[in-house]
Amino acid sequence: MNGIFRNIKVIAFDADDTLWDCQSHFEKVENRLYELLRPWCDEPAKELFKTESANMEDLGFGCKAFTLSVLETAMRVSRHEMPVSAIEELLMLGKGLLHLPATPLPGVEPTLKKLRTLIEESTDDGVSPVRLVCFTKGELQDQENKLKRSGLLPFFDDVEITSDKTQREFRALCEHQHIHPSELLMIGNSLKSDIAPALAIGAWGIHIPFHVTWQLEQYAVNNGVASLVEDFDHERLIKISQFSEILNYL
């Protein structure tokens, strides 16, 4: 490792919308829900956000939680008037998310391959100077399956899948990897889940925005009040636009 990241021992990567496109597939289901709710509601996106926010503590993240929230929103907003055929369509669209392709985004595979090569060339006496970890939140089986389908699993030394990514989970990641937070570099697309909590415990971050963002990643909800997560600068944060730019800093 060179430059400002010379003391980093673990580079952690978010998965969804960092390694592969995920939210675009979810948006297709959301847009179909909005179309079906048109006869009953002018702002269906707000209604789905309300449902997902209320369900988060019980259901967490992932395709299954999302599908349940979609179905609940459809029935609640339509006052159970939506046809069974439409409910079935939404169910099948939601189940289809369990098989989204998880095709690596441009630059991801060659960049990870280059990082892997650089680390192996720097390994001394069988001890690797840096470990690559996939650190993602969501439903365990779904995330494991996406990682396998992506073909990226061999690039990682370890994989940690958690129900959420807050300061607590980032501290746990450091404990599991036997490092101090200052030796962790987190790379991801979400300021709320990937960057802010990592910086808060003393880690470093590289932010790679994705062209679409889930509503719950745009807003922080405290005591039932949602507030927009604003962009920010930080002394331990680097902002890039392409995954391959990671190599400019490592």
Side-chain angles (χ1 to χ4, degrees), residues 22-37 44-45 48 52 62-74 82 86-100 214-215:
C22 180
Q23 185 57 31
S24 293
H25 297 275
F26 278 67
E27 279 202 343
K28 291 178 182 178
V29 182
E30 291 175 354
N31 290 334
R32 184 53 180 152
L33 170 68
Y34 303 157
E35 290 175 2
L36 292 170
L37 283 176
L48 178 58
E52 289 187 294
C63 298
K64 298 171 187 176
F66 171 74
T67 300
L68 285 173
S69 290
V70 165
L71 296 175
E72 181 181 335
T73 303
M82 185 176 289
I87 296 294
E88 183 178 18
E89 178 187 353
L90 291 172
L91 174 60
M92 298 310 296
L93 288 172
K95 289 182 69 175
L97 295 173
L98 293 169
H99 304 284
L100 63 85
W214 184 28
Q215 284 191 94

Side-chain angles (χ1 to χ4, degrees), residues 34-35 74 77 90 111 132 149 151 157 186 193 209:
Y34 303 157
E35 290 175 2
V77 175
L90 291 172
T111 300
L132 303 185
R149 289 199 301 273
D157 299 294
M186 180 67 204
S193 297

Side-chain angles (χ1 to χ4, degrees), residues 60-129:
F61 301 87
C63 298
K64 298 171 187 176
F66 171 74
T67 300
L68 285 173
S69 290
V70 165
L71 296 175
E72 181 181 335
T73 303
M75 292 184 286
R76 174 176 60 82
V77 175
S78 72
R79 299 180 293 279
H80 299 277
E81 295 175 3
M82 185 176 289
V84 173
S85 59
I87 296 294
E88 183 178 18
E89 178 187 353
L90 291 172
L91 174 60
M92 298 310 296
L93 288 172
K95 289 182 69 175
L97 295 173
L98 293 169
H99 304 284
L100 63 85
T103 302
L105 290 167
V108 168
E109 188 167 0
T111 300
L112 290 177
K113 184 176 182 179
K114 179 64 175 178
L115 277 175
R116 191 79 266 167
T117 298
L118 291 172
I119 290 171
E120 290 174 359
E121 291 176 348
S122 303
T123 298
D124 185 25
D125 294 330
V127 179
S128 175

Side-chain angles (χ1 to χ4, degrees), residues 15-22 25 99-109 145-152 210:
D16 293 334
D17 300 320
T18 297
L19 300 180
W20 53 72
D21 178 7
C22 180
H25 297 275
H99 304 284
L100 63 85
T103 302
L105 290 167
V108 168
E109 188 167 0
N145 287 340
K146 280 188 286 189
L147 190 54
K148 291 174 184 175
R149 289 199 301 273
S150 73
L152 301 176
F210 193 58

Side-chain angles (χ1 to χ4, degrees), residues 148-167:
K148 291 174 184 175
R149 289 199 301 273
S150 73
L152 301 176
L153 184 58
F155 294 115
F156 296 104
D157 299 294
D158 200 359
V159 176
E160 293 210 18
I161 300 170
T162 181
S163 60
D164 201 356
K165 286 200 296 199
T166 66
Q167 293 182 41

